[in-house]
Amino acid sequence: MKIGVFVCHCGSNIEATVDTAAVAAAAREFPGVVFATDTMYTCSEPGQDEIVDAIKEHNLGGVVVASCTPRMHEQTFRRTVERAGLNKYLFEMANIREHVSWIGKDREANTNKSVDLVRMATEKLLRNRALHPKKFTINKRVLIIGGGVAGIQAALDCADGGLEVVMVEKTSTIGGKMAKLDKTFPTVDCSSCILGPRMVDVAQHPNITLYAYSEIEEIKGYVGNFEIKVKKKATYVDWKNCTGCGICMEKCPSKKATDTFNEEIGKTTAINIPFPQAIPKKAKIDPAFCTMLKKGKCGICAKVCPSGCIDYEMKDEFITEKVGAIVTATGFDLFDWTVYGEYGGGRYPDVITSLQYERMLSASGPTGGHIKRPSDGKEPKNVVFIQCVGSRDKSVGRPYCTGFCCMYTAKQAILTKDHLPQSQSYVFYMDIRATGKLYDEFTRRAMEEYDTNYIRGRVSMIYPKGDKLLVRGADTLMGTQVEVDADLVVLAVGAESSAGASELAEKLRISYDSYGFYMEGHPKLKPVETNTAGVYLAGACQGPKDIPSSVGQGSAAAAKVLGLFSKDQLESDPQVSIVDIKRCIGCGKCIQTCPFGAIKEIDFRGMVKADVIETICQGCGICTSTCPQGAVQLQHATDNQILSEVNALCQF
Amino acid sequence: MPVLEGKELRIVGFLCNWCSYGGADTAGVGRFNQPTDLRIIKVPCSGRIDPLFVVKALMNGADGVLVSGCHPRDCHYAEGNFYARRRLEIMHKFLPILGYEPGRFEYTWVSASEGQRWQQVVTSFTEQIHKLGPAPKIVGPEASDTLSLMQAAL
Ligand SMILES: Cc1cc2nc3c(=O)[nH]c(=O)nc-3n(C[C@H](O)[C@H](O)[C@H](O)COP(=O)(O)OP(=O)(O)OC[C@H]3O[C@@H](n4cnc5c(N)ncnc54)[C@H](O)[C@@H]3O)c2cc1C
Ligand code: SF4
Ligand code: SF4
């Protein structure tokens, strides 16, 4: 094979600490290399043209590019060599940027190391073979996990694009956090007025199947053909017949159930519909509080239900759905602020979270839109907001900025004044981060028009003083201590990844960061893709996001799915395992270890042999390192290819 | 070109494509400085790593071998790193039989987001190898015999 080597400067990214000309010169001495050069930007159009020209001029049979990580540009260069008529697997990359030039400044050592990496790539390339993808048909249905505003947007866009959509939502209603909000920044328009109709659209869209109060049990398969096992949790109410009349709720004597929708401001009944605009508007029983389910006594709801829906024997149900793509939109949860002893750690009833405050502000909330102190039901006069509770704080393991708390705090200060004109709001903040369109204007309005007293500094202590709370903090701009007699304290708690995010990631086989937020395919260029083909991200599950960004990402994910499904067939990755029939002794070890069931037993002239099903094989190579005969080999990462890399490095 | 005489030792890394290779990339993007000794071979999954690769590397002159994959349960291929763990665990017992200090081989888990952790892993492993110094080199005809013995044993 005649090999051409292209060593990239990447502007000065590589050239500054690697002598690329010397690397090219060294490469010319390697077996098979007939051409080597250094180029300014290999990935640019002239850079790619240079490769194409060299392939033609020198009749190259393979190409090595030494540049950035293959995760960045392997696909780019594979297309380049294809353009010149080469099979795209007759190409290798040496990562001399992320793994060399960016991690040290010793030019001599870096140049030397780069030469090694190029040698390794050429040795591997000498053993590469042309590979050809197979085509397979795809199932044009899409699964949306999570019915917050991001998931709703993705579902509606996909459904309007003509796709069949399956939505799985963990709680008994869709809407996510946005359904709990009173108004939204920066326009202060009513949250349920803009979200409500979208939720109804989901329920009524002929292309959407909604599984609420359900979870993902298992995911099998691969892009184009996933098989999803959905667990429909027992609601003890037959939803086919439940009309959402709410009579059961009126009559249920167990009135101390946890009201998660209202963030535990108040209690609900054991059988409940989370809120009047819930979608679907169906009742479910919370078994932890139902006396019938716990003690076998009561049964009132069954007696009063006009549709006879109550079924105390109901069990979880499992349903299998087949889809070709998945959008994950599982959102976020709130940081548990009670770790902050200085804010009372949960001991003071009049210290509440921002989301509890939203429920209090909401006309359909448990207080009917009246701001009341949880302790005595009185209207507060002085309201203190504390920002960055569980954000930008290394000491509690949350060094990141949640991004939307500055904005919703300003919103809540404005709404407080609207509700209680005689009140005075104080905001303790670290910095004001209001970088969206019309955002800075909005926070200024809170200060200037609504007379909110913004104090730059942190609160060091809250303690009770009579029926009030004394909030003591620093004003770092004035260099003084401040004390405020507060009637109510609202904590702008930060966002963290949603409960169960990592378990779901394991099922989806996608990566997540150390905080549990899902990792996008590329921080700039692939914001909604993941590294698993056919799995996309939308909304705050990828990182804290406000509504406009979540909706934007929901639409973007839908566009990706529609793009994927614009073809009837996909090409399978040909980097799969194949069995050498002659070497296979039919021991079946590979069949046992393959995590995907991609290997089956076949009969070959009366002998048992293994055979790989190409479209199911995911290319992990576990079988290859299991086979005692070396009979099953993962193409493009065969034993020979990997050992040639080892030898290239270790021969000295 | 050999390793830089007196400065570097020969360290080979086998990294899975989905987690650790990405973690090493993240370390690069973050400009987290590292020693230059390590050369990385990318494999699709830590489960693809045959213990033979490790032995081969050492027998052919490597002074240290580092394997890194996805954290347990986070494997892109569901269970590849469990197979890896089982296979590689044996290496710690096996290498002394071949005359290598067990510290010449290490396996660890680094995710694609853990750039800083990767920097620490590389730095401390490189230090460990420098403390051990160059590995004894097996050369001559017995080398291939030992290797085939190994192969049979695995
Ligand atoms: C107090 C407060 C006030 C705010 N005010 C504003 C505002 O005024 N303007 C603004 O732009 N933004 C505001 N935000 C931010 C806004 O809430 C988010 O931008 C938005 O909720 C993100 O939507 P999402 O769909 O990504 O996530 P979520 O709203 O969290 O929805 C996620 C959904 O997925 C479901 N889910 C989770 N895990 C699973 C699973 N494993 N399986 C199935 N389903 C699952 C959840 O039950 C939920 O229904 C505010 C946030 C807070 C906390
Ligand atoms: S059985 Fe009784 S306690 Fe249980 S949900 Fe029905 S009415 Fe409520
Ligand atoms: S490489 Fe082997 S073990 Fe992995 S999926 Fe393919 S057949 Fe199964």
Side-chain angles (χ1 to χ4, degrees):
Chain A
M1 184 192 290
K2 287 185 180 166
I3 293 176
V5 176
F6 300 81
V7 188
C8 187
H9 295 201
C10 193
S12 63
N13 279 305
I14 294 171
E15 181 56 35
T17 60
V18 175
D19 184 346
T20 52
V23 176
R28 270 178 220 120
E29 309 301 318
F30 297 162
V33 176
V34 297
F35 176 81
T37 184
D38 54 297
T39 55
M40 191 64 182
Y41 286 108
T42 321
C43 60
S44 68
E45 199 179 330
Q48 293 191 41
D49 288 347
E50 198 180 345
I51 298 178
V52 173
D53 293 344
I55 292 174
K56 293 191 175 141
E57 192 184 323
H58 301 279
N59 199 15
L60 301 178
V63 168
V64 169
V65 172
S67 60
C68 47
T69 168
R71 290 158 68 97
M72 182 85 201
H73 277 317
E74 188 168 56
Q75 297 302 335
T76 314
F77 294 126
R78 278 183 175 168
R79 279 193 298 271
T80 310
V81 302
E82 240 176 359
R83 210 151 38 92
L86 279 188
N87 182 278
K88 65 180 178 188
Y89 294 97
L90 299 173
F91 168 76
E92 284 296 327
M93 256 177 119
N95 183 348
I96 62 169
R97 193 178 74 177
E98 282 80 351
H99 291 188
V100 181
S101 73
W102 276 354
I103 57 168
K105 296 207 161 51
D106 181 338
R107 197 168 158 92
E108 188 197 7
N110 281 358
T111 304
N112 187 56
K113 180 171 173 183
S114 301
V115 171
D116 260 1
L117 296 185
V118 172
R119 185 198 348 257
M120 196 171 95
T122 54
E123 286 296 325
K124 158 113 203 284
L125 179 59
L126 284 171
R127 287 155 187 86
N128 281 12
R129 291 194 309 115
L131 299 177
H132 302 280
K134 283 245 166 66
K135 292 205 166 346
F136 63 94
T137 50
I138 50 180
N139 182 335
K140 295 188 185 179
R141 301 176 82 227
V142 55
L143 167 73
I144 315 272
I145 310 175
V149 68
I152 290 175
Q153 184 74 13
L156 290 174
D157 282 358
C158 286
D160 287 342
L163 303 180
E164 265 186 57
V165 177
V166 177
M167 178 182 267
V168 174
E169 163 58 46
K170 179 164 76 172
T171 65
S172 72
T173 175
I174 59 171
K177 306 288 175 303
M178 191 176 167
K180 303 187 181 191
L181 306 181
D182 176 36
K183 307 258 175 5
T184 56
F185 63 75
T187 46
V188 204
D189 44 359
C190 145
S191 186
S192 56
C193 313
I194 47 179
L195 183 68
R198 309 286 285 162
M199 290 167 61
V200 174
D201 287 348
V202 169
Q204 295 182 346
H205 206 295
N207 286 354
I208 301 180
T209 309
L210 171 62
Y211 296 110
Y213 209 53
S214 299
E215 276 171 48
I216 304 296
E217 181 75 9
E218 189 183 47
I219 300 177
K220 284 199 277 199
Y222 48 91
V223 57
N225 294 285
F226 291 105
E227 200 179 293
I228 318 290
K229 195 158 152 201
V230 179
K231 172 162 115 185
K232 277 177 79 180
K233 295 178 278 187
T235 56
Y236 307 99
V237 176
D238 174 7
W239 279 13
K240 271 194 227 62
N241 296 322
C242 175
T243 59
C245 67
I247 292 174
C248 53
M249 262 180 101
E250 278 167 30
K251 305 284 181 209
C252 175
S254 167
K255 297 194 189 303
K256 294 244 165 71
T258 315
D259 191 351
T260 40
F261 184 81
N262 284 318
E263 296 289 316
E264 303 186 33
I265 292 274
K267 298 278 177 198
T268 186
T269 40
I271 187 163
N272 63 69
I273 300 170
F275 66 115
Q277 294 80 26
I279 297 286
K281 195 177 176 187
K282 308 280 177 190
K284 59 146 203 312
I285 295 180
D286 182 342
F289 294 92
C290 170
T291 29
M292 184 68 190
L293 289 172
K294 273 167 51 190
K295 299 185 184 139
K297 287 198 206 96
C298 181
I300 291 176
C301 51
K303 283 182 210 120
V304 299
C305 176
S307 319
C309 307
I310 311 295
D311 172 7
Y312 302 113
E313 306 289 310
M314 192 183 261
K315 296 268 169 317
D316 294 348
E317 194 189 332
F318 294 91
I319 292 163
T320 303
E321 286 282 358
K322 291 185 174 172
V323 299
I326 301 172
V327 176
T328 312
T330 47
F332 66 103
D333 273 327
L334 294 183
F335 177 75
D336 176 12
W337 67 274
T338 56
V339 299
Y340 284 104
E342 60 266 43
Y343 303 153
R347 274 172 294 138
Y348 312 136
D350 295 335
V351 178
I352 63 172
T353 72
S354 48
L355 201 52
Q356 289 177 320
Y357 199 53
E358 291 281 344
R359 291 315 298 144
M360 224 185 243
L361 291 168
S362 167
S364 62
T367 59
H370 297 294
I371 305 175
K372 290 182 189 168
R373 287 160 39 108
S375 61
D376 53 14
K378 282 193 198 142
E379 276 183 2
K381 191 175 170 297
N382 287 347
V383 182
V384 171
F385 296 90
I386 304 176
Q387 292 195 175
C388 299
V389 178
S391 293
R392 304 179 63 194
D393 188 351
K394 272 193 185 159
S395 72
V396 296
R398 294 287 177 270
Y400 56 85
C401 169
T402 295
F404 49 66
C405 313
C406 290
M407 287 301 294
Y408 74 57
T409 302
K411 171 187 74 176
Q412 293 182 340
I414 289 175
L415 293 173
T416 306
K417 198 76 172 177
D418 279 345
H419 283 243
L420 305 169
Q422 302 306 319
S423 69
Q424 174 63 49
S425 294
Y426 301 82
V427 177
F428 284 89
Y429 70 102
M430 284 165 70
D431 297 290
I432 297 296
R433 296 188 164 170
T435 54
K437 190 169 161 180
L438 293 176
Y439 282 17
D440 201 56
E441 294 89 322
F442 185 77
T443 52
R444 286 195 174 280
R445 268 178 66 202
M447 298 173 205
E448 290 158 12
E449 284 174 40
Y450 288 83
D451 217 16
T452 310
N453 190 350
Y454 270 74
I455 304 162
R456 188 175 196 276
R458 297 210 45 105
V459 168
S460 55
M461 198 66 179
I462 301 177
Y463 50 87
K465 188 182 152 198
D467 70 343
K468 289 182 185 283
L469 293 161
L470 187 79
V471 180
R472 176 177 295 153
D475 184 334
T476 54
L477 293 181
M478 304 295 283
T480 55
Q481 259 213 358
V482 273
E483 280 184 1
V484 183
D485 278 339
D487 299 295
L488 185 67
V489 177
V490 180
L491 305 177
V493 281
E496 60 182 22
S497 58
S498 65
S502 52
E503 287 81 358
L504 183 64
E506 284 154 26
K507 290 175 188 159
L508 289 160
R509 288 183 278 118
I510 61 175
S511 319
Y512 51 93
D513 66 19
S514 42
Y515 309 109
F517 291 113
Y518 297 149
M519 273 184 76
E520 62 280 15
H522 185 277
K524 284 141 211 159
L525 301 177
K526 290 184 178 173
V528 298
E529 289 98 324
T530 63
N531 277 329
T532 298
V535 179
Y536 304 94
L537 304 175
C541 62
Q542 180 255 349
K545 251 179 227 75
D546 61 11
I547 295 164
S549 311
S550 302
V551 171
Q553 223 185 6
S555 282
K560 286 284 161 196
V561 174
L562 287 160
L564 178 76
F565 289 173
S566 65
K567 302 178 203 97
D568 292 324
Q569 291 191 313
L570 287 182
E571 283 192 345
S572 67
D573 188 337
Q575 299 174 82
V576 294
S577 282
I578 46 168
V579 178
D580 180 345
I581 286 278
K582 289 194 291 301
R583 287 181 132 192
C584 175
I585 52 166
C587 67
K589 286 196 173 129
C590 57
I591 301 178
Q592 278 165 20
T593 48
C594 175
F596 303 98
I599 313 183
K600 63 174 193 286
E601 218 177 80
I602 54 161
D603 177 88
F604 180 76
R605 298 193 189 132
M607 287 175 292
V608 177
K609 300 280 177 183
D611 190 30
V612 176
I613 311 161
E614 239 188 277
T615 48
I616 299 182
C617 173
Q618 299 295 296
C620 61
I622 294 170
C623 54
T624 309
S625 37
T626 305
C627 177
Q629 299 295 310
V632 53
Q633 288 290 331
L634 175 61
Q635 301 184 88
H636 217 60
T638 62
D639 287 341
N640 277 339
Q641 284 170 320
I642 296 175
L643 287 173
S644 74
E645 292 178 278
V646 173
N647 288 340
L649 291 179
C650 299
Q651 56 190 321
F652 302 101
Chain B
M1 227 180 279
V3 291
L4 291 181
E5 211 56 59
K7 268 202 201 169
E8 286 179 345
L9 288 172
R10 176 61 78 203
I11 303 178
V12 178
F14 293 97
L15 272 64
C16 80
N17 178 40
W18 301 98
C19 296
S20 296
Y21 196 90
D25 283 353
T26 305
V29 173
R31 312 298 198 273
F32 297 144
N33 271 7
Q34 294 155 46
T36 51
D37 312 48
L38 173 79
R39 275 85 170 120
I40 293 171
I41 298 178
K42 180 167 71 118
V43 289
C45 175
S46 55
R48 171 67 189 95
I49 298 164
D50 194 323
L52 194 70
F53 299 162
V54 178
V55 176
K56 257 280 206 193
L58 288 169
M59 295 192 61
N60 285 12
D63 303 303
V65 177
L66 178 64
V67 165
S68 188
C70 305
H71 287 277
R73 294 205 323 278
D74 291 347
C75 176
H76 184 76
Y77 301 104
E79 47 200 56
N81 49 8
F82 290 125
Y83 287 109
R85 181 159 65 187
R86 221 171 302 153
R87 286 177 190 140
L88 298 170
E89 198 43 54
I90 310 172
M91 296 306 294
H92 281 299
K93 302 209 181 93
F94 225 83
L95 291 178
I97 300 172
L98 283 173
Y100 296 107
E101 297 90 336
R104 294 201 181 274
F105 167 72
E106 212 68 77
Y107 69 88
T108 183
W109 319 123
V110 174
S111 84
S113 66
E114 293 175 322
Q116 228 150 352
R117 181 171 144 75
W118 178 248
Q119 177 191 38
Q120 285 155 11
V121 165
V122 174
T123 309
S124 70
F125 186 69
T126 309
E127 274 167 16
Q128 182 174 321
I129 298 303
H130 276 266
K131 267 198 207 111
L132 291 170
K137 303 283 178 263
I138 300 176
V139 280
E142 328 87 83
S144 63
D145 285 353
T146 322
L147 191 64
S148 41
L149 268 175
M150 278 292 307
Q151 202 155 3
L154 291 166

